[in-house]
Amino acid sequence: MALSLPAIMKTTAARLSALYLLLFALCAVLLVLYMTSLSARMLTAQTQETINDEVLGLARAYQRGGLPVLVRVVEARSRQPGANLYLIADANGQILTGNVQSLEPGVIETEGWTTEPFSYQRFGEGELDRLRSGGSDQSAPPASEGNNPQSTGEKGHNAIALVLRLPNQMIMLVGRDLGEPERFRAVISRALTLALGMMGLGGILIWFFVGRAALKRIDSVSDASRRIMGGDLSGRLPVTGAGDEFDRLSENFNSMLARIAKLNEGLKQVSDNIAHDLKTPLTRLRNRAEATLAGRHKTEDYRQALEGTIAESDQLIKTFNAILMISRLEAGYSSEQTGPVDLAATVSDVVELYEPVAEEAGVALETTVPEAFTINGNRELIGQALSNIVDNAIKYSTDAAEAPKVRVALERLGNEIKLAVSDNGHGIPDDADRARATERFVRLEKSRSQPGSGLGLSLAKAIMTFHNGRLDLLPANPGLSVVMSFPLRETH
């Protein structure tokens, strides 16, 4: 898939990035304008404060000696390096003294602060410009306010000033050049603008490359999803190991896919097992009915045939119920209620139920329950699982060389509560066979002489999974030990 800019802009991440970039640019522009305006106001206020101090000094000189002293002070200050603007003119605006050669028209006509910066030219700047241009033989223009620096083509400067009228109607102007403040403001403006441009460019580059990376991740997820929807349930979403939201999403989806694949495999296995393992009892039912109808029999023969059919049907119903219960438990959908369960009491009830069965089979049934253990679970399901395991242990311990014995023990080991059912029969010596024993319809007895459907341990395993526990088949030397391990603190 081509990673073009329009494709990137269709992603939510790119659109959010563009929105954030726009918001950032707007805030940056407002910051530039604010900082430039603030710096201009601060410099203007500082300039006015400096001019006010100069005016106060000149006012004290005028009070001490009148106009002659004022003129001497103005001339002295005008000759200092970096001096402010000083000008004394007559009532007609003719410049008498100071360091200003020409002014923008109308500046000294209004008393007070100048409303806008004005242009001016100092003494000697016109001569310097003419020397630079090779026109040293030209005479300087008359020193009057009408000589506008802009109209004469000579270089001018901008300044602000305070214009005062003396008691003898003469005019005094004290000002300050704005070249340095304007340069400072220009430097701030350029710096902020450059910073804005660099940040904007960096934001665009980061947005572009991050958008491309995000789109690649999304494309890889889409490709994997298409393969999975095409029937490849073994496929998984890619996980880069970055630990970001894409990895977390992929891990959750992969767990879900593994769960779905497991359920599908279980469904396929159930279908195959139903087709093979239930075919025999159904065929046996049909043959019995057909044999009963084939000849002339007594009423007692028909009764026996019907009783056998009912018994066989009950076994089929139990098998189907076990299959349905396993499917419900493995799918995680169970209407069974959970609550506090006393495992010691459950063990006592199951052992008491199977004592007559064990006694009839000649099996010694022993229990070891040192104390009461309470967990959060379903008492009926736990009792069903334990009953299946005890029933299997009694059946398969009868072939022991010595006195057959089944022992049920309950104990706490670490963070688990273990309920073990052990027998002294032949057991299951092969590890692979022990792993297969908990699968549906698996019966390791080759002769199939013992009754059963091969669902007891499979149901027990599903019940333990439902309780966040596990079912382990371990060698007892001799015999087999089936261990139900419950977590100490149940969260289900």
Side-chain angles (χ1 to χ4, degrees):
M1 182 177 180
L3 299 177
S4 60
L5 184 59
I8 293 178
M9 288 303 300
K10 291 181 181 179
T11 63
T12 302
R15 291 175 179 175
L16 288 176
S17 300
L19 180 61
Y20 288 139
L21 182 60
L22 180 62
L23 181 62
F24 166 76
L26 179 61
C27 293
V29 170
L30 293 177
L31 178 63
V32 169
L33 296 177
Y34 172 74
M35 291 297 296
T36 303
S37 176
L38 179 63
S39 61
R41 290 196 303 269
M42 292 178 61
L43 291 174
T44 301
Q46 184 179 4
T47 301
Q48 291 179 344
E49 183 178 357
T50 302
I51 293 174
N52 284 327
D53 293 340
E54 290 289 330
V55 170
L56 289 176
L58 294 176
R60 287 193 292 270
Y62 183 77
Q63 291 173 358
R64 287 197 310 269
L67 185 60
V69 175
L70 176 62
V71 170
R72 287 198 300 271
V73 172
V74 168
E75 290 179 348
R77 293 188 178 184
S78 298
R79 289 192 294 268
Q80 294 178 357
N84 293 328
L85 302 183
Y86 298 100
L87 181 148
I88 297 179
D90 58 17
N92 296 324
Q94 186 68 29
I95 298 176
L96 301 179
T97 187
N99 56 2
V100 178
Q101 180 179 354
S102 61
L103 288 171
E104 183 179 317
V107 174
I108 59 178
E109 294 178 357
T110 303
E111 188 176 1
W113 287 101
T114 54
T115 57
E116 297 290 340
F118 59 90
S119 59
Y120 75 96
Q121 191 176 51
R122 291 177 183 264
F123 278 108
E125 289 181 341
E127 292 293 336
L128 182 60
D129 292 338
R130 280 189 290 273
L131 288 174
R132 288 174 179 173
S133 61
S136 57
D137 56 339
Q138 299 177 7
S139 59
S144 68
E145 185 186 358
N147 295 327
N148 187 354
Q150 297 177 354
S151 62
T152 59
E154 298 169 351
K155 182 180 177 182
H157 304 279
N158 291 327
I160 61 172
L162 178 61
V163 180
L164 299 173
R165 286 201 174 264
L166 303 178
N168 56 4
Q169 295 304 311
M170 297 186 70
I171 301 171
M172 182 178 68
L173 179 145
V174 180
R176 187 172 181 84
D177 189 89
L178 295 179
E180 182 178 352
E182 286 182 348
R183 285 192 297 272
F184 180 70
R185 182 173 60 182
V187 168
I188 292 179
S189 179
R190 284 195 300 270
L192 291 175
T193 303
L194 180 61
L196 171 62
M198 294 177 63
M199 288 186 290
L201 180 60
I204 291 174
L205 293 176
I206 293 174
W207 162 51
F208 181 73
F209 288 109
V210 169
R212 286 174 62 90
L215 190 58
K216 286 182 179 179
R217 295 288 300 276
I218 294 174
D219 286 343
S220 62
V221 171
S222 299
D223 293 339
S225 301
R226 281 193 293 270
R227 290 194 301 270
I228 294 169
M229 287 187 295
D232 182 15
L233 293 181
S234 63
R236 295 295 181 266
L237 300 184
V239 178
T240 63
D244 56 7
E245 61 276 8
F246 286 103
D247 276 357
R248 294 194 297 270
L249 182 63
S250 297
E251 290 171 355
N252 290 335
F253 268 104
N254 289 341
S255 300
M256 180 185 68
L257 290 171
R259 178 72 172 168
I260 293 173
K262 182 179 179 181
L263 293 177
N264 285 341
E265 182 62 27
L267 180 61
K268 181 178 180 297
Q269 184 181 3
V270 168
S271 301
D272 294 341
N273 291 332
I274 289 176
H276 293 86
D277 291 80
L278 296 184
K279 182 179 179 180
T280 300
L282 289 174
T283 302
R284 191 162 51 243
L285 277 176
R286 182 187 182 281
N287 292 339
R288 180 182 289 114
E290 185 178 10
T292 303
L293 294 175
R296 294 182 178 182
H297 300 283
K298 298 179 181 180
T299 303
E300 186 63 27
D301 296 332
Y302 288 112
R303 178 179 293 275
Q304 291 178 358
L306 289 174
E307 288 177 352
T309 301
I310 292 173
E312 196 79 35
S313 300
D314 289 341
Q315 184 61 36
L316 285 173
I317 292 173
K318 290 181 181 179
T319 300
F320 276 110
N321 288 337
I323 293 173
L324 291 175
M325 178 60 70
I326 292 172
S327 299
R328 289 171 58 193
L329 292 172
E330 289 183 347
Y333 297 99
S334 177
S335 59
E336 305 294 340
Q337 299 296 320
T338 60
V341 177
D342 186 354
L343 289 180
T346 303
V347 170
S348 299
D349 293 342
V350 172
V351 170
E352 183 180 357
L353 177 65
Y354 276 89
E355 277 180 349
V357 178
E359 184 178 355
E360 183 179 353
V363 177
L365 184 58
E366 302 176 355
T367 58
T368 303
V369 182
E371 59 179 303
F373 294 104
T374 302
I375 66 169
N376 184 39
N378 184 279
R379 188 178 185 278
E380 287 73 19
L381 291 177
I382 295 175
Q384 178 67 49
L386 182 58
S387 298
N388 292 346
I389 296 172
V390 171
D391 184 70
N392 281 345
I394 292 174
K395 285 191 298 184
Y396 295 108
S397 64
T398 55
D399 57 354
E402 57 184 46
K405 181 176 60 176
V406 173
R407 180 172 176 268
V408 182
L410 180 65
E411 60 179 343
R412 173 180 173 179
L413 292 177
N415 293 327
E416 292 182 326
I417 300 175
K418 294 185 178 294
L419 176 56
V421 179
S422 304
D423 63 70
N424 60 347
H426 291 306
I428 306 176
D430 191 7
D431 293 341
D433 288 340
R434 284 198 298 271
R436 289 179 55 245
T438 57
E439 297 177 1
R440 294 185 182 96
F441 296 104
V442 172
R443 300 185 64 185
L444 301 178
E445 183 196 11
K446 304 300 182 182
S447 62
R448 302 272 177 148
S449 60
Q450 295 286 357
S453 60
L455 291 173
L457 291 179
S458 180
L459 178 58
K461 180 180 179 181
I463 291 174
M464 291 307 299
T465 302
F466 175 77
H467 286 86
N468 294 330
R470 68 179 187 277
L471 185 71
D472 299 314
L473 275 64
L474 305 174
N477 299 320
L480 179 70
S481 179
V482 181
V483 182
M484 304 167 63
S485 301
F486 297 90
L488 192 60
R489 292 183 59 88
E490 268 299 319
T491 57
H492 184 81

